[in-house]
Amino acid sequence: MSGVGGDITPRSAVVVGAGVVGLSTAWFLQDRGVQVTVVDRGEVGSGASWGNAGWVAPGLSLPLTSPHVLGEGLRGLLDPRAPLRLSRRPDPRLWSFLLRFAAHCTTRHWRRALEASLPLLVEALPAYDTLSGAGVEVGARESAIVAGFTDPRAAAGFRRELALVAAVGVPVSSADLDRAELHAARPQLSGRIVAGVRVDGQRFLDPARLVDRLAQAVVRRGATIRSRMAVSSLRSDRGRVIACAAEGPPVGADVAVLATGAHLGDLARRGGVRLPVRAGRGYSFTVPTDAPVPGPIYLPGARVALTPHEGGLRVAGTMEFRAADRPPDVARADAVVASVRDLLAGVRWDERSSPWVGARPVTPDALPLVGATGRPGVYVAGGHGMWGVTLGPVTGRLLAEQITTGKQPPELVPFDPLR
């Protein structure tokens, strides 16, 4: 490290986790002159970043702790097809987490969490623009997201929620769509969809391509990426942080950033981070369509996001609280299909791809963990729930600022990992 006027600026960093959040943090650290090594327990982008819906949608990136989630959770105990699926197996840690999560499912906390997230939501798209302006081919396309409803009353409730979001200051605009406008905008919607809302100014991308391009960008800038290095511990040695794995040589640097998604708690606890992170697993698969899909579709009643992908439609949905590394449960993908089959037309469901499952990192208060831990030189970046793609670049920019200046940006105060 180098000291200038009493400030200590790191010259090197090891970033543990090669998803959108970790690679974005690596890129912005490089932008501030830090030499970076990125390590990952699997391959680049093999975690929750790879197969999600790929929405960059600050207007819809809302806290998970909304009051109606409690009702969905109770339904998930009884109905395996419910959007939120809870295991009935005895798991004291999981049930302790869920009780804490449930305690935050109030209107008051939801609004406070939204207000806390406002600076990140405002800067989410500009952070992507920074990457694009520097030559990173993020592949984001601007598009409205069209939400469809079988009941006009549900559409009215969705509009009220968007009005609350806009009143807080989140940059979101929307418009009602009548039946003709709705089906002209998204021909894949079936006749059962009778009301719609267009959410403007959002974007979508291929998340696997984004991660690949970010990895290429940091390597071009001099980074080393080590795949299949499962970091098991961190130790300190003469002011440096050493990331150690069961196999292979350790990696040392002035600072370490833990961006390991749903596995964040494993190492972060040793730095005094007590807030747990659990895997809220989401499923996706791709289906062919008879006609091109013009843009993203949201079906709030089923909690399913649909995105144009490789000439077809990527279908992403469900929230399943199970161990992060468990294999996909085909029944969960079948439940997603059952929830939306009659809401869509011209979709060849019998030709869908094998299901993919990704472990979204969820915290009990629905706020990310971003910043310094109680261990010198160790930082964390994670816990974004379903919004890692939307908030990854802005998280990386703000955390790189904190690491290189030694000062916590005010935008990150609500996300202090030691809260």
Side-chain angles (χ1 to χ4, degrees):
M1 295 193 184
S2 61
V4 179
D7 292 330
I8 298 177
T9 303
R11 293 196 179 106
S12 61
V14 55
V15 177
V16 185
V20 174
V21 175
L23 289 170
S24 295
T25 304
W27 193 92
F28 281 101
L29 282 170
Q30 289 176 312
D31 213 39
R32 289 174 167 266
V34 179
Q35 179 64 41
V36 175
T37 300
V38 180
V39 303
D40 194 276
R41 66 200 305 267
E43 300 294 337
V44 170
S46 60
S49 295
W50 186 85
N52 59 55
W55 290 7
V56 185
L60 295 175
S61 299
L62 309 180
L64 294 176
T65 49
S66 57
H68 58 67
V69 167
L70 287 177
E72 290 186 2
L74 293 173
R75 177 186 164 200
L77 283 172
L78 304 173
D79 184 358
R81 299 168 298 176
L84 175 58
R85 178 61 174 155
L86 303 179
S87 172
R88 284 180 282 183
R89 292 182 177 180
D91 183 340
R93 286 189 177 183
L94 173 60
W95 285 103
S96 173
F97 172 88
L98 292 174
L99 286 172
R100 293 177 68 178
F101 185 90
H104 287 98
C105 290
T106 65
T107 301
R108 180 181 180 186
H109 177 78
W110 182 87
R111 186 179 180 90
R112 288 176 58 190
L114 181 61
E115 291 171 346
S117 302
L118 177 62
L120 271 63
L121 298 174
V122 169
E123 292 298 321
L125 297 184
Y128 267 95
D129 293 338
T130 297
L131 293 173
S132 298
V136 182
E137 298 176 10
V138 299
R141 294 171 52 190
E142 185 160 346
S143 173
I145 295 174
V146 173
F149 303 87
T150 58
D151 185 341
R153 291 173 297 180
F158 185 71
R159 289 195 301 272
R160 287 193 295 271
E161 185 175 76
L162 288 177
L164 287 172
V165 170
V168 169
V170 178
V172 58
S173 62
S174 61
D176 292 336
L177 298 178
D178 63 30
R179 206 163 183 167
E181 293 170 329
L182 180 62
H183 292 280
R186 298 294 185 268
Q188 282 73 27
L189 292 171
S190 77
R192 285 205 60 208
I193 301 297
V194 299
V197 178
R198 190 186 69 228
V199 184
D200 295 317
Q202 312 303 299
R203 302 179 190 178
F204 71 96
L205 48 75
D206 180 340
R209 181 181 184 274
L210 167 65
V211 172
D212 182 62
R213 296 299 187 270
L214 274 171
Q216 292 178 20
V218 298
V219 169
R220 283 197 303 269
R221 289 174 148 204
T224 298
I225 296 181
R226 288 180 53 181
S227 300
R228 300 196 176 280
M229 178 180 172
V231 174
S232 56
S233 65
L234 301 174
R235 61 182 174 85
S236 300
D237 183 13
R238 289 175 290 184
R240 286 168 63 82
V241 181
I242 314 298
C244 305
E247 297 182 4
V251 177
D254 292 334
V255 297
V257 178
L258 305 178
T260 51
H263 298 278
L264 187 63
D266 299 344
L267 291 172
R269 277 193 296 270
R270 301 170 199 176
V273 179
R274 301 304 178 196
L275 207 63
V277 177
R278 297 289 305 203
R281 300 180 358 140
Y283 284 73
S284 76
F285 48 86
T286 302
V287 288
T289 55
D290 294 340
V293 183
I297 301 168
Y298 182 35
L299 298 173
R303 297 282 181 177
V304 170
L306 307 113
T307 312
H309 183 69
E310 296 183 348
L313 190 66
R314 172 167 283 176
V315 182
T318 201
M319 176 73 81
E320 175 189 57
F321 283 99
R322 295 181 72 187
D325 296 326
R326 292 286 296 273
D329 180 355
V330 175
R332 293 301 296 157
D334 292 342
V336 173
V337 173
S339 70
V340 298
R341 182 187 287 272
D342 63 348
L343 305 181
L344 298 168
V347 177
R348 302 199 293 273
W349 295 108
D350 293 340
E351 300 174 41
R352 71 180 189 263
S353 66
S354 298
W356 170 90
V357 62
R360 311 179 188 109
V362 180
T363 61
D365 62 1
L367 293 174
L369 301 168
V370 185
T373 71
R375 188 169 181 174
V378 179
Y379 299 80
V380 298
H384 294 83
M386 299 190 299
W387 314 123
V389 169
T390 296
L391 300 178
V394 66
T395 295
R397 180 178 67 78
L398 291 168
L399 184 57
E401 178 184 335
Q402 179 173 355
I403 291 170
T404 55
T405 66
K407 299 176 181 178
Q408 184 184 47
E411 298 93 331
L412 293 184
V413 170
F415 315 121
D416 191 321
L418 301 181
R419 65 180 182 272

